[in-house]
Amino acid sequence: MRAVKILLLAALAWLASSTQLSAQNGESVEIAREHTVSSAILGEERPVQVALPVGYDTTEAYPVVYVLDGPAHLVHTTGSARFLAENGRMPAAIVVAIANTPGNRTRDLAPPPGNDDPGDATGDASKFRAFLRDELKPWVESRYSTRRYDVLIGHSLGGLFISHVLNTEPELFDAYVSISPALGWADEEFVAEMDDLFERFPAARGALYMTMGNEGGATLSGAWHLAGTLEKSAPASFRWHWKRMPTETHESVPARGTYDGVEWIFSGWYPIDLMADLARRGASELPRLGNHYAGLSAEFGWEIAPPLNELVNTVYQMVESDRDDDALAIATQTAEWFPDDAYARSGIGLAHVGACRWSEAEKHYGRALEMAEAGEGYGWLADFLRGELRRIREKASSDESCVPAA
C-alpha cells in the first residue's frame, strides 16, 4: 500500500495548495459598499454599508447580520462572520452596518421612559424599529440573495434597543447579540417593564446572547435583572446565554462579544465532538451525524449538511489507516448529502484508490470530472482529476505493491 499512500499524500497536498486564495501586491480588498436608504418613516436618508460574503453567489441564499452603530463595528463584525464561515462555524452571511445620522443616536436607539422625566424623554425607538421592519429589511431582501434568518447586533444603546425590540416585537429578528446593553436607562425602569415579557409572548422563538465587560452600577444590575427574567420565564423555544467578560472594557468588548455571540447563535454548526467521533470510530457514527444536522435544519429553517471538506478529509484519514470499508461508507454518504457536488463525488474515487479498486476509482473520478467540467468554480478540481485519472491508469497496469480488486 505504500505506493498508494504516496499517491494519496500527493493528491491531498495538491488539493490544499490549489484551494488557497492568493493576494496580489498592491491590490485593495473591498470590505463593503455604501448605500443610502430613503426613509419616509424617519424622514431622512439613511446610510448603510453592505458587506457580502466571500464567494457571494446569487444562486445561494444567505442569512443577514444587521449591526447598529455600523461604521464603528463594520470591520470586526465582517471579519468575525467571514472567519467563522470559512472555518465551518456558521453559514456565510451578509453583513449590513447601519450608520447613525448626526445627533439622532439616542432618538433612534432609546425607548421613551415611562417616568415622564423630560431630561430622559428623548428616545423614540419605535420609529427606528418600524424603519428596520418596513423599509430597511425589505430594501436588503429586494437587492440581495437572502435567507429568512436575521441577526441583530447592538452595543450599549444598541443593546438597549435590542431589549426594546424583544419587549415589543421579538419575532422581528431570529437572533440577537446584545453587548453591554445600557439597561440602567431611566433608573432600570425599562428593564423592569420586561418582567412579564414571556407572559405577553409565550410562544417566543429565537436566541439572545448578552454579554458585558467590566462595567458595574446600574448597567450591570440591569443586565442581571434581565438575565433573571430570562432564567425564570423564557420558554424552551427561546435560547439565551449571559456572559460577563471582566477583562474587557465598555469600549473593547464589542469585538470579542460579537465573535462569541455569533458563534454561540450558530453553535452546533460544526459539532466538533461528533466529527472527532466520526474520525475515530468510523462510519458507525454517520447516523448520529445525520440526526444532528436534521435537528439543526429544523432549528434554523433550511436544509443544513455536514461540512464537505471535513467529510472528504475524514475519508482520507480512513484510507490512511487502511480502514477501507469506513472510507467507502463515509464517501458514499457524503455524495448522498451533496449529490451535485464534484468534490463529494471525488471522495468515492479516493476511497477506491485507497483500496486499489482501480476500475471503480476510475469510474467515480471520471464522473466527478464530468461534474467539475460542467459546473463553475471547480476548474482546480478538474485539473486534479485529470492527473489522477492518468496516474490511476498507470497504477492499474504497473503497480505490484497493491493488487487491484476484481
Side-chain angles (χ1 to χ4, degrees), residues 32 47 89 106 117 125-126 131 137 145 158 184 192 206 208 214 223 228 262 274 299 312 316 345 363 367 375 378:
R89 301 307 176 98
T106 301
D117 180 351
S126 59
F131 161 70
K137 290 180 73 174
S145 183
L208 168 67
N214 64 354
V262 175
L274 265 177
E299 177 182 350
V312 176
Y316 171 76
R345 173 65 58 172
K363 179 176 74 175
R367 175 63 184 131
Y378 268 147

Side-chain angles (χ1 to χ4, degrees), residues 60 275 289 293 303-312 330-348 367 371 378:
E60 300 291 332
M275 294 304 297
L289 191 65
Y293 278 92
E303 187 173 347
I304 302 167
L308 173 57
N309 288 344
E310 291 294 327
L311 290 169
V312 176
I330 294 170
T332 301
Q333 179 61 72
T334 299
E336 290 180 9
W337 279 327
F338 299 89
D340 300 319
D341 193 283
Y343 189 45
R345 173 65 58 172
S346 73
I348 302 180
R367 175 63 184 131
M371 295 167 72
Y378 268 147

